[in-house]
Amino acid sequence: AVAGFKAPRIYAASQAAMTLQNRDASIFVVNEKNITMPAAPTDADIAAFYKSRLQQLQMPELRQASVVRFDPNDYLKSITIDEAAVRKMYDDRLKTLVTPETRSFVQVTTQSAGDANAISAAIKGGQTPEQAAKAHKGQVITYDQKPQTAVPDAKIAAAAFGLKTGEVSGAIQGELGYAVIKMGDIKTGATPSYESVHAKLAQDYVKEQAANRVNKDSNTFSDAIRAGKDFNATAKELGLTVVKLEPMTAQGQTNNPQVNYSKFAPLVKAIYDLPSAGSASDVEELGEGQYFAVRLDAVKPAGAPPLEQIKGELAQYWMAEKVAGLVQAKADEALVRLKKGESFAAVAASLNAPVKPLNGLNRAMVQQSGLPQALAGRIFGGEANENFSVPLNQVNIAVGHIDAIHQADAQQANAMSTAIRG
């Protein structure tokens, strides 16, 4: 493209011709109104239908379980704040709550006391630290609002944090050489009052107590289950809620589209690790400080459901399949009549099906009109005077005829071809 390559004009011309082409078609719809409805299936019909669909009816194993959850958030409202304990938290955390003093200063390092003294005198005499360093083989290090702990050399740090704003030190012997410091801005540290951090500390206290309660109750529950006590009764004693889960597969899927346990992988695994109905798991971690225990309530083995259990649904499917087959046969019959030469209007009238004209269709219009994609594809994929049928859904089949194909206006196609060639 950079070198000036362009697609051959026939590419754009073909696209323009196809886009601007118009087609006229007629359709009528065949559905269950055009057939004699079949009689309800007999028991033998349903049994045969069940046998023929046995492979499709296979279901995975389903397990239903009850769960008890230990969530710190469930304990928050029941915890009373102990002010003495919160005050102790403040005292214990005071060192971490303090905002340390920070300082900005320039440090000039050198390897000899003589050079350090000369640098100190030069800075005091009005030279900048950079000028003094250059004259006496020094190196400049700048600290911008750093606490004392941020200065690597403890001896130099102690000296720096003993100076006043604007003060220049003499030669300071550090751990790896000598240094001179010119002190800049000083920001004093601050210790927050108890009142200013009380809300945060109280919140932390409640969370800690909730976590402690989770730990205590989960251990108590675990000990009780190991001792053979009843799952529900133990939960009730501890004030915990037992929730009955929906039957699920080994992947956490359920028959309810709104319920999916797959995102709780540890929970699903725990359920499928249990040996039999009635057994319970130990307390296990769910994540984010939460724990859980499950009891397996019921196991539905993999396989097809018994015939008697789904007889009603099978009868509905049998009927739907029979109706769809009869509708298809009626549409096929109409198509055969059209191919033998009967008029489109006459065949439609014999089926009491109104004819719908679809005139002036083009591809751009079809995308916006909501015309079924299968029908649009058949109209634009056929030839003039061709008859066709196409399913719209399970019980509606469109029978159609392509009445005319109007090729694109040459002038319009040429203009469009030029516009889209890029």
Side-chain angles (χ1 to χ4, degrees), residues 310-384:
I310 57 170
K311 200 171 182 179
E313 290 94 328
L314 287 174
Q316 292 176 17
Y317 283 116
W318 183 95
M319 181 64 77
E321 194 170 284
K322 287 293 183 184
V323 168
L326 291 171
V327 170
Q328 182 65 60
K330 185 63 71 172
D332 292 344
E333 178 188 316
L335 205 57
V336 168
R337 291 170 61 189
L338 289 170
K339 289 179 179 179
K340 285 181 177 180
E342 285 191 57
S343 74
F344 196 81
V347 174
S350 70
L351 295 171
N352 199 27
V355 175
K356 181 177 181 181
L358 300 170
N359 295 329
L361 291 176
N362 62 48
R363 287 173 172 81
M365 180 195 302
V366 163
Q367 292 177 355
Q368 301 167 0
S369 67
L371 199 68
Q373 189 173 1
L375 177 59
R378 197 66 189 79
I379 291 172
F380 283 97
E383 299 178 0

Side-chain angles (χ1 to χ4, degrees), residues 113-128 132 136 168-171 180-181:
D115 284 337
N117 285 323
I119 290 169
S120 177
I123 295 173
K124 289 176 180 177
Q127 290 187 22
T128 64
H136 299 282
V168 178
S169 74
V180 176
I181 293 170

Side-chain angles (χ1 to χ4, degrees), residues 226-248:
R226 288 175 183 175
K229 292 188 177 180
D230 180 73
F231 190 90
N232 281 29
T234 303
K236 187 175 181 180
E237 286 175 14
L238 294 171
L240 302 169
T241 302
V242 176
V243 176
K244 200 172 190 66
L245 304 176
E246 295 201 27
M248 71 185 77

Side-chain angles (χ1 to χ4, degrees), residues 245-272 286:
L245 304 176
E246 295 201 27
M248 71 185 77
T249 67
Q251 290 73 43
Q253 307 291 334
T254 74
N255 290 327
N256 184 345
Q258 296 180 335
V259 179
N260 187 338
Y261 300 119
S262 62
K263 58 185 176 181
F264 304 110
L267 176 71
V268 177
K269 183 178 183 303
I271 292 170
Y272 270 81
L286 187 60

Side-chain angles (χ1 to χ4, degrees), residues 89-277:
M89 287 176 67
Y90 173 77
D91 293 336
D92 292 343
R93 297 184 186 182
L94 200 53
K95 288 183 180 179
T96 62
L97 295 172
V98 170
T99 303
E101 177 183 311
T102 59
R103 296 187 170 212
S104 295
F105 59 91
V106 178
Q107 173 186 326
V108 182
T109 61
T110 185
Q111 293 302 311
S112 70
D115 284 337
N117 285 323
I119 290 169
S120 177
I123 295 173
K124 289 176 180 177
Q127 290 187 22
T128 64
E130 289 75 16
Q131 291 170 332
K134 187 175 181 181
H136 299 282
K137 301 177 183 178
Q139 182 182 359
V140 176
I141 302 173
T142 302
Y143 291 91
D144 183 24
Q145 291 304 327
K146 299 295 182 184
Q148 187 170 345
T149 54
V151 182
D153 192 315
K155 293 181 180 178
I156 293 174
F161 275 75
L163 297 174
K164 297 177 182 177
T165 300
E167 191 174 355
V168 178
S169 74
I172 304 168
Q173 184 173 2
E175 295 173 356
L176 298 173
Y178 291 85
V180 176
I181 293 170
K182 181 179 180 181
M183 185 54 57
D185 186 40
I186 298 174
K187 288 186 178 179
T188 56
T191 301
S193 66
Y194 174 69
E195 291 72 20
S196 67
V197 295
H198 177 270
K200 176 66 169 62
L201 291 173
Q203 186 181 44
D204 290 349
Y205 172 81
V206 170
K207 287 182 178 178
E208 286 182 11
Q209 293 303 308
N212 291 339
R213 288 274 298 277
V214 164
N215 187 54
K216 178 177 176 293
D217 284 357
S218 62
N219 285 331
T220 301
F221 188 90
S222 180
D223 291 342
I225 296 303
R226 288 175 183 175
K229 292 188 177 180
D230 180 73
F231 190 90
N232 281 29
T234 303
K236 187 175 181 180
E237 286 175 14
L238 294 171
L240 302 169
T241 302
V242 176
V243 176
K244 200 172 190 66
L245 304 176
E246 295 201 27
M248 71 185 77
T249 67
Q251 290 73 43
Q253 307 291 334
T254 74
N255 290 327
N256 184 345
Q258 296 180 335
V259 179
N260 187 338
Y261 300 119
S262 62
K263 58 185 176 181
F264 304 110
L267 176 71
V268 177
K269 183 178 183 303
I271 292 170
Y272 270 81
D273 282 346
L274 292 172
S276 59

